[in-house]
Amino acid sequence: MMILVTGGLGYIGSHTVVELLGNGFEVVIVDDLSNSEKFILENIEEVSGKKFTFYPFDLKKKELLSQVFQAHNIGGCIHFAAHKSVGESQEMPLKYYENNLFTLIHLLQEFKDRELSNFIFSSSCTVYGQAEHMPIKEDTPLKVPKSAYGKTKQMGEEILKDFARAYDKKVSILRYFNPIGAHPSGKLGELPVGIPNNLVPYITQTAAGLREFLSIWGNDYPTPDGTAIRDYIYVVDLAKAHVAALKKLLACEENKVIDIFNLGTGRGVSVLEMVKIYEKANNVNVPYRICERRSGDITLAYADVRKAQKEMGWRSETTMEEALKTTWNWQSYLNTKD
């Protein structure tokens, strides 16, 4: 079966393409390279040993997207392509609403017009805000996100629910917690543009000497060590969850399906804990400074993953130490490309 993967050269997308190819799916990637590099194309082929089709254009170009659907017998879509910087989304909200919502709508219009189904959406735990109870379940009440980025994810979910109900489609909404790590080969990983927004790339660049120190935003949270706690999931485990979600949709004989799954480990790790685990796993030093809290950051978030285990037969299997070792291998590979 041919699967369309939007943003397939990005961090999570590239790992998912490898898993799809390894499970016998054919893949068509659409990616405008705004958050990736073209060498990832070759690396996916090298790692997977498989070929795929690639189109380098922006999904807002509706005519080009239609041509892709005309050229291929698409059996499903995994939609990663989106702007994702929380900070930038606050400064440029219209850019985020236009890109993240219009591209989703363009894809769904093609699915409706061509009577296609099996759509998987890359969502985020940001839709929960600061939940009152832990672990966070899929039926935990959602809160209006503080960032335009988060709002586009929540709006995207609502669009997909209406789409599935109105047109009898099968949809899976995957709410990620905090993806980390790189492919075991060291040939695929996260490529932050400028100063990293996420913790682990910042730790990695600091350990590699690319940053003078790691900024830890607040140590006065009501947690054991005063730093914020998150659920960090290894990116390859996350990629495998997409394959499991796709297989579940394909096997379902019902026409109208709205699956929602939390994807995490079910365990919270503090910022300081993460620094210590990273240092031990890679035998490196990570200098850091405590800074004032950032506005909008939450204290604690980790997933209840029992639904994914029960309904998809999936669970995160990689230890934090194993995941963090892969980031150092990836950084070492990037150093050779400079």
Side-chain angles (χ1 to χ4, degrees):
M1 178 174 287
M2 183 74 72
I3 305 300
L4 172 63
V5 182
T6 69
L9 299 188
Y11 177 39
I12 304 169
S14 60
H15 289 82
T16 301
V17 168
V18 169
E19 294 301 321
L20 286 168
L21 293 169
N23 278 270
F25 292 97
E26 294 183 66
V27 173
V28 175
I29 295 174
V30 175
D31 194 307
D32 67 358
L33 295 168
S34 63
N35 196 40
S36 186
E37 299 287 346
K38 205 159 187 179
F39 74 83
I40 297 297
L41 274 169
E42 300 171 359
N43 288 13
I44 292 174
E45 289 190 354
E46 181 181 341
V47 168
S48 67
K50 303 286 181 63
K51 297 287 186 179
F52 54 88
T53 304
F54 170 60
Y55 293 94
F57 68 84
D58 188 325
L59 287 170
K60 293 194 293 295
K61 297 179 178 178
K62 194 173 180 180
E63 298 78 10
L64 294 179
L65 181 61
S66 293
Q67 291 175 21
V68 172
F69 279 88
Q70 291 168 6
H72 301 279
N73 185 22
I74 304 295
C77 175
I78 303 180
H79 181 42
F80 293 106
H83 294 326
K84 62 177 185 177
S85 170
V86 171
E88 183 187 59
S89 77
Q90 294 299 81
E91 299 170 1
M92 308 174 71
L94 291 182
K95 173 183 177 181
Y96 276 67
Y97 290 126
E98 179 187 27
N99 185 75
N100 293 7
L101 297 180
F102 284 10
T103 56
L104 172 62
I105 292 168
H106 289 169
L107 285 164
L108 296 183
Q109 286 172 332
E110 292 291 339
F111 265 61
K112 177 183 74 70
D113 293 345
R114 299 173 189 277
E115 299 184 350
L116 302 175
S117 195
N118 307 310
F119 194 98
I120 296 177
F121 180 60
S122 168
S123 192
S124 167
C125 65
T126 189
V127 300
Y128 295 114
Q130 179 56 72
E132 295 181 7
H133 303 287
M134 295 293 143
I136 298 172
K137 300 180 180 180
E138 284 82 358
D139 60 0
T140 294
L142 305 186
K143 297 180 180 178
V144 177
K146 295 183 182 295
S147 70
Y149 160 75
K151 289 172 185 174
T152 65
K153 289 300 181 183
Q154 197 169 100
M155 291 177 190
E157 290 193 8
E158 294 305 312
I159 290 169
L160 280 161
K161 291 173 187 176
D162 288 343
F163 168 76
R165 294 189 188 106
Y167 305 112
D168 294 333
K169 302 297 184 181
K170 295 188 287 183
V171 166
S172 187
I173 295 169
L174 305 182
R175 293 173 179 161
Y176 311 157
F177 279 65
N178 296 74
I180 62 168
H183 194 269
S185 66
K187 297 294 180 66
L188 299 171
E190 191 166 2
L191 279 171
V193 177
I195 299 175
N197 290 306
N198 298 326
L199 175 62
V200 172
Y202 208 133
I203 290 176
T204 303
Q205 291 190 5
T206 303
L210 302 178
R211 307 285 168 192
E212 184 180 356
F213 59 86
L214 168 71
S215 296
I216 295 180
W217 307 104
N219 66 343
D220 58 349
Y221 287 95
T223 61
D225 63 19
T227 61
I229 292 174
R230 301 287 186 272
D231 188 337
Y232 297 93
I233 176 173
Y234 180 45
V235 66
V236 175
D237 290 340
L238 182 60
K240 291 177 179 178
H242 290 75
V243 177
L246 177 61
K247 289 181 176 179
K248 182 177 184 298
L249 287 183
L250 293 173
C252 183
E253 296 181 356
E254 297 177 37
N255 291 325
K256 189 182 301 183
V257 176
I258 304 171
D259 283 337
I260 300 176
F261 294 106
N262 285 339
L263 299 181
T265 65
R267 171 176 173 249
V269 178
S270 77
V271 175
L272 280 177
E273 282 181 311
M274 182 63 76
V275 171
K276 293 173 183 176
I277 296 170
Y278 195 99
E279 288 180 327
K280 183 179 179 181
N282 295 300
N283 193 28
V284 294
N285 180 53
V286 181
Y288 64 84
R289 292 181 187 175
I290 303 298
C291 305
E292 291 186 8
R293 288 194 198 186
R294 292 181 300 192
S295 175
D297 277 355
I298 62 174
T299 301
L300 173 66
Y302 60 93
D304 186 324
V305 295
R306 289 176 294 180
K307 184 181 178 184
Q309 293 173 0
K310 180 180 179 181
E311 296 188 18
M312 293 198 298
W314 170 89
R315 69 175 65 214
S316 177
E317 299 177 339
T318 308
T319 68
M320 201 62 55
E321 292 81 1
E322 291 171 329
L324 293 178
K325 284 181 180 178
T326 65
T327 65
W328 190 246
N329 294 338
W330 167 240
Q331 184 62 52
S332 300
Y333 169 74
L334 289 179
N335 292 342
T336 68
K337 298 192 72 64
D338 292 340

